[in-house]
Amino acid sequence: MTQAPTLLQQIRALVRQRQGIPFNGYMQLCLYAPGLGYYMRPRRRIGAQGDFFTSSSVHRLFGRLIARQLQQMAELIDGPFTLVEQGAGEGHLALDILDALQQSWPDLYERITYRLIEISPDNRDRQAALLQTHSTRVSWCGEQELAPFRGCFLSNELLDAFPVAVVEKRQGQLLEVYVVEQQDRLVEQLRPARPEVVQHFARQGLQPAEGCRAEAALGVSCWLEGVAARLQQGFVLTIDYGYPAAELYAPFRRQGTLLCYQRHQASDNPYQQPGEQDITAHVDFSLLQLEGERLGLETLYFERQYRFLMALGFIEELLELQRQACDAQQACALRLTLKNLILPDGGMGDTFKVLIQGKNVGQPALLCQRPIHAISLAATAGDRC
């Protein structure tokens, strides 16, 4: 039997055939090539034994607080409430949300349909095993199979894994990174940017500064069009790491935001071990809001993750969990763990942002808009870790 070609061999063959491919095409193969891409074959990706952590892998409280916001959203919509999550990883966030609804909001739990959109066969198997206790509420579908619905479209660390074009500004010209082969090695070559890449930046009236690199997630607009078309009434809740465009393309960000992760080690070299490492880029939240407005999705809320979680009762929930702790050492360990969700200055609480867009829901006063000063300072007493 002839051995199937490796991912690297497939990439090299395509590069030779086309005399170079844009970086977003290379990234698409590295992450999503059937059976070979990073997300498309069995491996441990999330957690201490994987390559990276997500907010939902830190503690179940993250999902419980999101469930609290979803419960309020459901009150604003009559009839069945459909919660769609795309890119749910191993399913931990879905489990934590459904557990919280079943325990604290049973009426909504009986009302809800939880739809999972997942292209990774490995992740889908893990989700099915993890969510067995909620099998009557959960189902799976493809992105194009999702029927029109009323409810909420949720994603947590989905858009950072969209393939990106990489550009560089030189002598006033926008150049694009292509992947080519030289002396049996994959290397970069700069070529004039494709029209769709130029148009991507023109829509926002921004380009990277001279000598700087930047990324453009060309598929985001099309993805959002699909979400907006299927959402009849409700919300789009997007959680990810990223910045508004003015900060994302600021002159000090000379190398852009593209990073790779393997075994919790970050690298800026996407050409080593294709298919074995995650490749990500920070999300352009200005693009999401700009495109959303065009598609009938009104921006209702945009904030850093720590403010979102604090407003939804992070401190109050932490105190209750501490009261349930067996001893002071366990309570201290709990505080240290949960602080990862709200750490500022480059931590999860600051780098991660939360965007809520609405369609046919007016301008509701969302629970996550509770100001920080409304949280009692007494709630923080006794925190020494």
Side-chain angles (χ1 to χ4, degrees):
M1 295 178 63
T2 303
Q3 186 177 12
T6 66
L7 179 58
L8 179 58
Q9 289 171 335
Q10 289 188 17
I11 291 172
R12 282 178 166 171
L14 185 65
V15 166
R16 294 188 199 109
Q17 176 188 347
R18 299 185 180 179
Q19 298 183 326
I21 59 175
F23 183 84
N24 61 318
Y26 170 78
M27 184 172 170
Q28 174 75 31
L29 290 169
C30 288
L31 298 183
Y32 304 111
L36 295 172
Y38 177 79
Y39 285 104
M40 303 304 287
R41 59 189 181 84
R43 66 173 295 135
R44 178 69 68 180
R45 285 175 281 270
I46 302 172
Q49 303 304 314
D51 298 313
F52 52 84
F53 288 103
T54 66
S55 294
S56 58
S57 68
V58 171
H59 196 275
R60 68 182 186 276
L61 178 56
F62 182 73
R64 179 169 182 81
L65 294 176
I66 291 176
R68 181 169 293 165
Q69 181 57 77
L70 292 169
Q71 192 274 335
Q72 186 210 15
M73 290 174 173
E75 290 180 344
L76 301 170
I77 296 175
D78 295 328
F81 186 86
T82 300
L83 177 57
V84 181
E85 184 182 0
Q86 184 171 357
E90 297 179 357
H92 290 289
L93 180 57
L95 178 64
D96 294 339
I97 289 173
L98 287 167
D99 281 349
L101 293 178
Q102 188 177 44
Q103 177 185 1
S104 300
W105 299 282
D107 289 344
L108 175 56
Y109 181 80
E110 294 300 324
R111 236 179 99 195
I112 199 169
T113 297
Y114 207 120
R115 299 278 274 167
L116 289 161
I117 299 175
E118 181 57 64
I119 65 170
S120 166
D122 179 40
N123 278 344
R124 187 163 175 164
D125 289 343
R126 293 173 187 267
Q127 292 161 11
L130 191 68
L131 298 170
Q132 281 183 347
T133 56
H134 299 291
S135 59
T136 60
R137 307 258 62 90
V138 177
S139 61
W140 284 260
C141 70
E143 193 171 343
Q144 301 305 316
E145 300 164 356
L146 179 64
F149 70 98
R150 295 158 58 128
C152 180
F153 193 104
L154 168 67
S155 66
N156 178 48
E157 295 193 58
L158 167 71
L159 300 184
D160 63 84
F162 273 39
V164 293
V166 178
V167 300
E168 188 171 317
K169 189 79 164 288
R170 287 194 180 181
Q171 298 180 337
Q173 185 180 7
L174 202 60
L175 302 177
E176 184 175 358
V177 171
Y178 275 67
V179 180
V180 300
E181 190 176 38
Q182 280 184 4
Q183 299 178 345
D184 293 327
R185 294 175 59 241
L186 295 177
V187 297
E188 295 182 353
Q189 184 181 83
L190 292 177
R191 301 178 183 178
R194 292 169 290 163
E196 58 266 36
V197 176
V198 175
Q199 181 61 31
H200 175 91
F201 290 97
R203 281 201 299 269
Q204 299 188 75
L206 280 173
Q207 283 193 6
E210 182 67 29
C212 292
R213 283 199 167 193
E215 302 86 24
L218 303 179
V220 166
S221 295
C222 183
W223 169 81
L224 196 59
E225 282 183 10
V227 174
R230 291 169 175 81
L231 179 64
Q232 296 176 321
Q233 181 190 22
F235 304 86
V236 180
L237 172 54
T238 305
I239 306 171
D240 221 317
Y241 47 89
Y243 304 101
E247 188 175 355
L248 188 63
Y249 305 128
F252 65 82
R253 210 175 301 284
R254 297 190 61 82
Q255 296 303 316
T257 66
L258 191 80
L259 280 176
C260 308
Y261 292 94
Q262 187 177 32
R263 298 288 182 256
H264 299 281
Q265 298 296 312
S267 164
D268 61 0
N269 183 1
Y271 305 109
Q272 62 184 11
Q273 296 183 289
E276 296 294 330
Q277 59 178 348
D278 192 18
I279 308 175
T280 78
H282 281 49
V283 174
D284 182 348
F285 278 99
S286 294
L287 175 66
L288 284 174
Q289 295 179 66
L290 183 68
E291 291 293 280
E293 295 291 338
R294 178 179 68 83
L295 298 166
L297 299 174
E298 188 174 1
T299 298
L300 303 177
Y301 178 86
F302 178 59
E303 249 308 347
R304 288 165 287 181
Q305 178 173 287
Y306 86 88
R307 284 187 170 270
F308 174 77
L309 297 177
M310 295 279 281
L312 289 173
F314 179 89
I315 294 295
E316 294 90 333
E317 291 283 349
L318 171 59
L319 288 174
E320 179 57 32
L321 289 171
Q322 285 185 152
R323 280 192 285 269
Q324 298 172 12
C326 298
D327 52 43
Q329 184 177 1
Q330 186 184 64
C332 185
L334 175 68
R335 288 196 295 273
L336 289 173
T337 296
L338 288 177
K339 279 181 178 177
N340 288 312
L341 295 174
I342 60 170
L343 281 175
D345 300 327
M348 277 185 165
D350 185 51
T351 305
F352 281 74
K353 309 297 190 303
V354 180
L355 173 64
I356 300 179
Q357 296 161 290
K359 183 176 182 180
N360 298 326
V361 293
Q363 284 280 342
L366 298 172
L367 289 176
C368 60
Q369 293 173 319
R370 180 174 65 144
I372 295 295
H373 63 73
I375 301 171
S376 172
L377 293 178
T380 63
D383 188 349
R384 295 291 182 267
C385 294

